[in-house]
Amino acid sequence: EDQVTQSPEALRLQEGESSSLNCSYTVSGLRGLFWYRQDPGKGPEFLFTLYSAGEEKEKERLKATLTKKESFLHITAPKPEDSATYLCAVKNSGYALNFGKGTSLLVTP
Amino acid sequence: EAGVAQSPRYKIIEKRQSVAFWCNPISGHATLYWYQQILGQGPKLLIQFQNNGVVDDSQLPKDRFSAERLKGVDSTLKIQPAKLEDSAVYLCASSFRELGGDTQYFGPGTRLTVL
């Protein structure tokens, strides 16, 4: 059975303090690892898709990387507006996304 | 481009009552998904449609939940009768490519409270 574990559950950073979120996974036949951002009261917002080990993608202050067992979401010099819950999900040979519980990030001024 | 639309945004009902949620996917998206997100958890797939056919409903509690997608566009998800544990956010998502293509785009969700 596919498993997705995200850590830490919650993270508090000072503005400008870089850090990384972790997503560990076990899946039979990975067909994509997805990162979403979810603000309170809103649906998940798509950030990145990674397909193979070694792949990296960047968007503004965010950079996602992938290995055979885990993915990292690196946040460089975060701002308060980066505060949100970050969700990781994997897709196997089926079609559904299997989500982790998310990491709740709070960036304080 | 308009995103995934859902209504209502909030619903409060008493247990044993029935409730229905509506979703309009992004124009041209063949695949539609309904997810349930309990507070503090990630979304969990309930049902997936490809056009107007069901692809996966293995996690849908069929004794009380039903869903349909008429004409391969809009979809409704119904709960009858509701239980306390059904309190959650119900998210609709859609994707462009057939057979559950790559990126799923989510609507704002409907927050259901069952008293």
Side-chain angles (χ1 to χ4, degrees):
Chain A
E1 183 179 318
D2 298 348
Q3 282 196 329
V4 180
T5 303
Q6 292 189 245
S7 62
E9 290 186 8
L11 180 63
R12 182 179 182 132
L13 299 173
Q14 290 254 322
E15 184 172 3
E17 180 186 0
S18 301
S19 187
S20 296
L21 312 182
N22 176 264
C23 173
S24 298
Y25 66 91
T26 55
V27 63
S28 55
L30 180 70
R31 291 185 61 184
L33 184 139
F34 299 76
W35 282 99
Y36 284 83
R37 167 190 172 131
Q38 187 171 28
D39 291 294
K42 296 188 177 182
E45 175 189 347
F46 172 73
L47 293 174
F48 305 109
T49 308
L50 303 167
Y51 292 103
S52 57
E55 189 174 0
E56 299 181 352
K57 288 192 176 174
E58 289 188 65
K59 178 181 179 180
E60 297 181 352
R61 296 177 292 281
L62 300 177
K63 178 180 178 180
T65 62
L66 182 65
T67 72
K68 289 186 178 180
K69 294 183 178 181
E70 56 191 351
S71 176
F72 292 94
L73 185 65
H74 306 277
I75 304 176
T76 302
K79 298 182 177 182
E81 53 262 42
D82 295 322
S83 297
T85 295
Y86 290 85
L87 295 166
C88 170
V90 297
K91 181 184 290 187
N92 59 17
S93 55
Y95 309 117
L97 289 177
N98 187 0
F99 283 87
K101 293 183 179 181
T103 293
S104 177
L105 173 65
L106 177 63
V107 181
T108 58
Chain B
E1 179 182 84
V4 176
Q6 291 188 247
S7 68
R9 292 296 316 278
Y10 306 92
K11 191 74 177 179
I12 300 174
I13 62 173
E14 297 200 349
K15 60 183 179 182
R16 290 188 290 274
Q17 286 187 325
S18 63
V19 64
F21 314 126
W22 173 82
C23 172
N24 181 245
I26 293 173
S27 178
H29 280 198
T31 312
L32 185 147
Y33 314 78
W34 283 102
Y35 287 84
Q36 180 192 57
Q37 186 174 25
I38 293 172
L39 187 64
Q41 305 285 321
K44 183 188 83 171
L45 180 73
L46 292 175
I47 189 168
Q48 175 185 340
F49 292 93
Q50 178 69 30
N51 295 309
N52 60 353
V54 176
V55 174
D56 182 0
D57 63 357
S58 58
Q59 299 193 76
L60 186 74
K62 298 180 186 64
D63 58 335
R64 298 183 300 107
F65 286 65
S66 65
E68 61 180 7
R69 189 182 185 195
L70 299 177
K71 301 181 181 178
V73 182
D74 294 5
S75 177
T76 56
L77 176 69
K78 296 179 181 177
I79 308 175
Q80 182 180 9
K83 293 185 175 181
L84 296 177
E85 58 261 36
D86 298 332
S87 293
V89 175
Y90 291 85
L91 295 163
C92 180
S94 68
S95 63
F96 176 65
R97 294 197 317 189
E98 293 186 356
L99 299 180
D102 290 341
T103 301
Q104 296 181 25
Y105 296 92
F106 285 80
T110 296
R111 181 176 296 278
L112 174 67
T113 302
V114 182
L115 303 176

